[in-house]
């Protein structure tokens, strides 16, 4: 996306917090110095970013703004994204990366299409690629269809997602109802052909009014070709995989993540198949408790207090042993329908795990692995962390990070998309902190 000697001025808008660290992890792996801000920066935070060498400040290469907008009302998601864009442009960012989930998590109304439309209008650009592919995690696009491993998206466990069930694999059919603009495709034969042909196909699509181009990609070489062809595009959209198409700007980070002493906890709000497998693998090694939905509906504060007392007891006996609190350990644990007149389980889980994070921090916890994009957003906001420094990757799209709250209390955080990570992640992640 840029020559090796060219200053990088990337800004990214991520629709959830794990997506932000996912993208930042991939940029860091390419030697791109990246800062993550959690929420749209205030004027003071913008000044600090510029002074510290953020994009436009002379030292950093990229800034990622993490929003909690994936399942927000459309108007709210658009407004937050435009505010993030304004902040990035104030920092001098010349290119914008609209980051969404590699499984295209959305509903027929949005929010991927409406946000991309708003960014496209504000940046006055005629074409934007749509590239959710992240081959390292099994997300690939072929003939305009999104695959999860060897399954079409609509046949994968994502069809059961409680907030954004994905029942179709055609990215054209998924995006078309969400945007006012025509959507086209660019096939793998073009991607792997003459580089000028890929660029010409994108230029032709924009000239014909087809404002989005779903581009096939099944390996990192394809991502590099797409990156080269979009080198002067002011806007790209996709998962974090496209960042791996950047020419390397230096060695990836290899130093150890600074460790914040304190107790350890895993907070898993995701109900994805990958996270359920990680919970299953961890329960034989870690003290664990599943959130009691009935208790949360009756008295959420009491449930959080019960879990905090339980965690304190374990830490008193084994201070360095992580505890695991999770929402779903099996498909049977997932609430498919909200009882009439009751709040959705997902809201209760987010609030409860955010409450646990604050209470656990009060008990001395400083190291958290958090599973699930919505859960990560709720937890980090509850802790009051606004900015993250990333360390080396734990797994594709997952890394440890460190950030302070408003009082200067620091935390080690690994924010994990529900679908990412090896089965052993909840136990193996701690080895990277020492």
């Amino acid at each position: 996306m840029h020559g090796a000697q060219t200053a990088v001025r990337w800004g990214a808008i991520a629709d959830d917090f794990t997506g932000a660290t996912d993208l930042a992890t991939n940029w860091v792996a390419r030697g791109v110095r990246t800062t993550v801000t959690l929420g749209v920066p205030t004027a003071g935070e913008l000044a600090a970013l510029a002074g510290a060498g953020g994009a436009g400040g002379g030292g950093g290469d990229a800034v990622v703004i993490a929003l909690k907008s994936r399942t927000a009302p459309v108007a709210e998601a658009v407004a937050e994204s435009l505010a993030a864009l304004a902040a990035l442009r104030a920092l001098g960012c010349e290119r914008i990366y609209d980051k969404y989930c590699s499984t295209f998590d959305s509903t027929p109304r949005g929010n991927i299409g409406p946000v991309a439309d708003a960014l496209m209008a504000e940046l006055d650009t005629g074409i934007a690629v749509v590239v959710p592919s992240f081959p390292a995690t099994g997300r690939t696009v072929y003939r305009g269809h999104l695959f999860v491993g060897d399954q079409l998206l609509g046949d994968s466990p994502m069809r059961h997602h409680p907030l954004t069930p994905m029942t179709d694999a055609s990215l054209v059919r998924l995006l078309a109802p969400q945007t006012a603009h025509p959507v086209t495709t660019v096939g793998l034969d073009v991607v792997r052909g003459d580089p000028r042909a890929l660029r010409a196909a994108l230029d032709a699509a924009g000239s014909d009014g087809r404002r989005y181009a779903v581009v096939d990609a099944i390996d990192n070489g394809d991502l590099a070709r797409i990156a080269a062809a979009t080198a002067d595009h002011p806007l790209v959209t996709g998962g974090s995989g496209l960042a791996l198409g950047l020419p390397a700007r230096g060695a990836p980070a290899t130093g150890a993540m600074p460790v914040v002493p304190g107790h350890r906890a895993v907070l898993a709000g995701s109900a994805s198949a990958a996270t359920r497998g990680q919970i299953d693998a961890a329960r034989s090694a870690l003290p664990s408790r599943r959130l009691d939905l009935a208790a949360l509906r009756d008295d959420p504060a009491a449930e959080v207090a019960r879990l905090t007392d339980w965690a304190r007891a374990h830490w008193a006996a084994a201070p360095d042993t992580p505890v695991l609190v999770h929402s779903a350990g099996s498909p049977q644990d997932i609430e498919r329908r909200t009882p009439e007149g009751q709040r959705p389980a997902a809201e209760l889980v987010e609030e409860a795990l955010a409450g646990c994070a604050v209470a656990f921090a009060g008990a001395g916890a400083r190291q958290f692995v958090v599973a699930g994009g919505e859960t990560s957003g709720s937890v980090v906001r509850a802790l009051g962390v606004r900015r993250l420094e990333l360390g080396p990757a734990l797994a594709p799209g997952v890394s440890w990070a460190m950030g302070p709250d408003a009082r200067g209390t620091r935390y080690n955080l690994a924010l994990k998309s529900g679908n990412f990570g090896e089965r052993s992640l909840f136990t193996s992640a701690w080895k990277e902190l020492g």
Side-chain angles (χ1 to χ4, degrees), residues 405-425:
D405 65 15
R407 300 182 303 277
T409 301
R410 298 187 305 165
Y411 298 92
N412 288 128
L413 298 163
L415 308 179
K416 186 196 84 72
S417 167
N419 296 303
F420 283 6
E422 299 295 329
R423 185 176 171 85
S424 63
L425 184 69

Side-chain angles (χ1 to χ4, degrees), residues 28-234:
V28 168
R30 305 301 292 161
V32 178
R33 295 164 295 173
T34 307
T35 298
V36 176
T37 70
L38 306 174
V40 179
T42 64
E45 289 168 338
L46 280 174
L49 272 173
D61 296 331
V63 173
V64 183
I65 296 179
L67 303 179
K68 195 171 180 291
S69 58
R70 178 169 299 166
T71 57
V74 171
E76 180 182 320
V78 169
E80 284 196 353
S81 298
L82 289 175
L85 174 62
L88 292 170
R89 296 175 89 177
L91 285 169
C93 297
E94 296 170 350
R95 305 196 58 210
I96 301 300
Y97 198 128
D98 176 19
K99 162 67 175 74
Y100 41 77
C101 188
S102 58
T103 45
F104 214 73
D105 299 13
S106 57
T107 69
R109 294 190 62 231
N111 291 337
I112 293 174
V115 167
D117 281 358
L119 297 177
M120 182 177 283
E122 189 67 22
L123 293 167
D124 192 24
T125 183
I127 184 70
V129 291
V130 177
V131 187
S133 294
F134 190 175
T137 61
R139 279 63 167 160
T140 56
V141 176
Y142 181 64
R143 294 186 178 272
H145 287 69
L146 181 55
F147 286 79
V148 178
D150 60 358
Q151 292 181 304
L152 286 163
L153 176 65
D155 297 328
S156 77
M158 282 301 299
R159 68 187 184 279
H160 297 310
H161 194 287
L163 297 177
T164 53
M166 305 305 296
T167 58
D168 194 354
S170 167
L171 291 169
V172 172
R173 286 196 297 264
L174 289 170
L175 184 56
Q178 301 183 32
T179 175
H181 304 300
V183 184
T184 190
T185 60
V186 177
L188 195 65
D189 57 333
V190 177
V191 173
R192 293 187 172 179
D194 187 324
R196 292 170 295 183
L198 174 54
R199 178 59 185 262
L202 296 175
D203 288 345
S207 298
D208 292 346
R210 293 168 291 167
R211 306 294 293 279
Y212 295 106
V214 174
V215 187
D216 284 358
I218 62 175
D219 63 25
N220 284 359
D222 300 328
L223 297 176
R225 296 179 188 97
I226 298 167
T230 57
D232 62 353
H233 285 204

Side-chain angles (χ1 to χ4, degrees), residues 303-367:
E303 175 68 353
V304 169
R306 178 184 73 85
L307 292 167
T308 305
D309 289 343
W310 163 79
R312 284 180 182 272
H314 278 285
W315 288 327
D320 295 330
T321 300
V323 298
L324 165 64
V325 179
H326 62 92
S327 63
S330 70
Q332 291 71 36
D333 295 337
I334 302 170
E335 183 180 272
R336 302 297 183 190
R337 296 181 180 178
T338 301
E340 187 175 354
Q342 300 290 322
R343 294 180 62 197
E347 291 182 9
L348 293 169
V349 166
E350 283 182 45
E351 290 183 10
L353 291 179
C356 284
V358 172
F360 288 9
R366 295 293 181 270
Q367 301 173 14

